[in-house]
Amino acid sequence: MSARTPSADRLGRLLNLVPYLLARPGILISEAAADLDVTDKQLREDLELLWVCGLPGYGPGDLIDMAIDGDHVTISHDAGMDKPLRLNPDEALALVVALRMLAETPGIGTRDAIERALAKIENAAGDLADAPVAVKLPANQERLAKVRAAVASGNALRLTYYTPSRDETTDRVVDPMRMLMVGGFNYLEAWCRRAEATRLFRIDRIDAFTELDEPSAPPVGAVPHDVTSGVFHPGPELPLVTLRVGRGGRWITEYYPVEQVVREGPEWLVTMRVTDLGWAQRFLAGQGRDVTVVGPPELLERIRAQAATALGQYAAPHGLAADRPAAG
């Protein structure tokens, strides 16, 4: 028997525990513990944790349910976890590449956990993990060190910065104030002369920068951000978006700050603030039928126009073919 396993090992065991128990209703806890190479005590703790796992909503029909009769256990509701996790070759390779990329990204505070997870997946993937895919991000490491040096020297910087919320790259001159890490990412906090306000610049989104031959001089009114609860702080000045989400879209309420959630049977009515409607349009375009936009009207019109353009692009080749003269 092994001693208490690390959290990463426990997560993998929990993911496979439900389908294992489903295939063996009424199994003895001691027998299951022996199969899984854990102690009876550890398995009982896993079962207690499973009781509060399931789908967003966390009500009847959402959480995993089971019956423990003395030393026997039976799963009565699997909450969709009825099959062990199996990755096809494309999924495994994509996960390997993503983890390699993440391991090379500066500012990530959980590198050890990432490397352990990567080693396990590479071991399970076998020859597939030996595919000629190398991920290196030396520029990010160098950029982080140089930005830190520039902040320490007290000079202003000219940045070329990518803003994903607007999908645009801009040039701006900033007066550095401090470096900080929030949510596993490194940020430069600085007074932006272009915006005339204090801004946070994520290091991995700085495409290029030049150290200027002038001192950093943030004005007296340059107040550092309070990042104790994260970087994004939605306020009343930001656009308000209303969504109707099904079971598969409820994750949005856990991942993003929301102002209100109204539960209407299987669907929820969710209101949330966004940085701008352009970001909301790009974000919602990637969601499936579990997410429907209710408002504002401007966002609805943007999405309709985007959908019409996409449909037109699909139809264009057929139209061209129809207009082409027949050979002969």
Side-chain angles (χ1 to χ4, degrees):
M1 297 281 186
S2 62
R4 188 179 182 89
T5 55
S7 59
D9 292 335
R10 189 183 191 190
L11 174 60
R13 188 172 64 252
L14 287 171
L15 289 173
N16 289 304
L17 185 54
V18 174
Y20 169 87
L21 294 175
L22 279 172
R24 300 163 179 81
I27 189 173
L28 280 167
I29 291 177
S30 59
E31 182 182 343
D35 285 348
L36 298 169
D37 194 28
V38 294
T39 63
D40 289 13
K41 180 178 180 294
Q42 177 64 67
L43 183 56
R44 288 183 182 273
E45 291 177 356
D46 289 347
L47 294 174
E48 290 177 2
L49 181 57
L50 278 181
W51 242 317
V52 293
C53 294
L55 299 171
Y58 312 115
D62 295 319
L63 298 178
I64 294 169
D65 199 6
M66 70 191 78
I68 298 179
D69 182 11
D71 293 329
H72 298 262
V73 58
T74 300
I75 297 290
S76 54
H77 179 63
D78 55 47
M81 295 178 60
D82 56 341
K83 295 180 180 178
L85 178 62
R86 294 289 184 267
L87 300 177
N88 64 37
D90 289 341
E91 291 170 337
L93 184 57
L95 192 54
V96 167
V97 172
L99 286 171
R100 287 175 181 172
M101 177 79 75
L102 197 59
E104 291 290 333
T105 301
I108 298 296
T110 55
R111 191 179 305 276
D112 290 343
I114 293 168
E115 290 177 348
R116 289 197 303 271
L118 178 59
K120 291 180 180 179
I121 293 172
E122 287 178 334
N123 181 61
D127 294 340
L128 183 63
D130 295 328
V133 178
V135 178
K136 294 293 180 183
L137 300 175
N140 281 344
Q141 294 282 8
E142 294 172 6
R143 185 178 300 121
L144 176 60
K146 288 180 178 179
V147 172
R148 281 177 173 162
V151 173
S153 68
N155 292 327
L157 300 176
R158 184 182 301 278
L159 304 181
T160 300
Y161 189 75
Y162 173 68
T163 305
S165 63
R166 296 189 296 273
D167 192 26
E168 68 177 11
T169 301
T170 56
D171 291 320
R172 57 186 78 197
V173 175
V174 303
D175 297 289
M177 296 165 60
R178 60 173 177 166
M179 296 287 295
L180 65 160
M181 178 180 284
V182 184
F185 293 97
N186 278 297
Y187 290 84
L188 164 67
E189 185 170 40
W191 176 263
C192 177
R193 299 182 187 178
R194 180 172 178 265
E196 296 185 341
T198 305
R199 291 288 185 265
L200 288 170
F201 301 97
R202 219 171 85 174
I203 299 301
D204 59 335
R205 292 175 181 165
I206 298 177
D207 292 336
F209 76 95
T210 304
E211 186 174 347
L212 302 180
D213 189 20
E214 60 177 284
S216 172
V220 177
V223 179
H225 287 83
D226 179 5
V227 295
T228 53
S229 59
V231 173
F232 180 56
H233 297 279
E237 74 283 359
L238 296 178
L240 186 66
V241 171
T242 304
L243 308 173
R244 191 177 301 280
V245 303
R247 184 183 296 272
R250 294 178 185 174
W251 64 270
I252 292 173
T253 64
E254 297 183 336
Y255 195 82
Y256 295 100
V258 297
E259 293 208 350
Q260 186 179 32
V261 177
V262 178
R263 291 168 171 79
E264 301 178 341
E267 293 187 324
W268 293 359
L269 196 65
V270 177
T271 56
M272 58 188 292
R273 299 281 176 181
V274 297
T275 52
D276 59 61
L277 294 182
W279 176 89
Q281 177 185 347
R282 290 188 297 276
F283 169 70
L284 294 168
Q287 308 307 312
R289 63 183 63 186
D290 280 314
V291 181
T292 303
V293 180
V294 178
E298 181 184 349
L299 179 58
L300 281 165
E301 185 56 37
R302 286 189 181 199
I303 292 176
R304 288 193 187 103
Q306 183 181 18
T309 301
L311 288 173
Q313 291 175 343
Y314 275 107
H318 301 289
L320 291 174
D323 296 337
R324 190 180 298 123

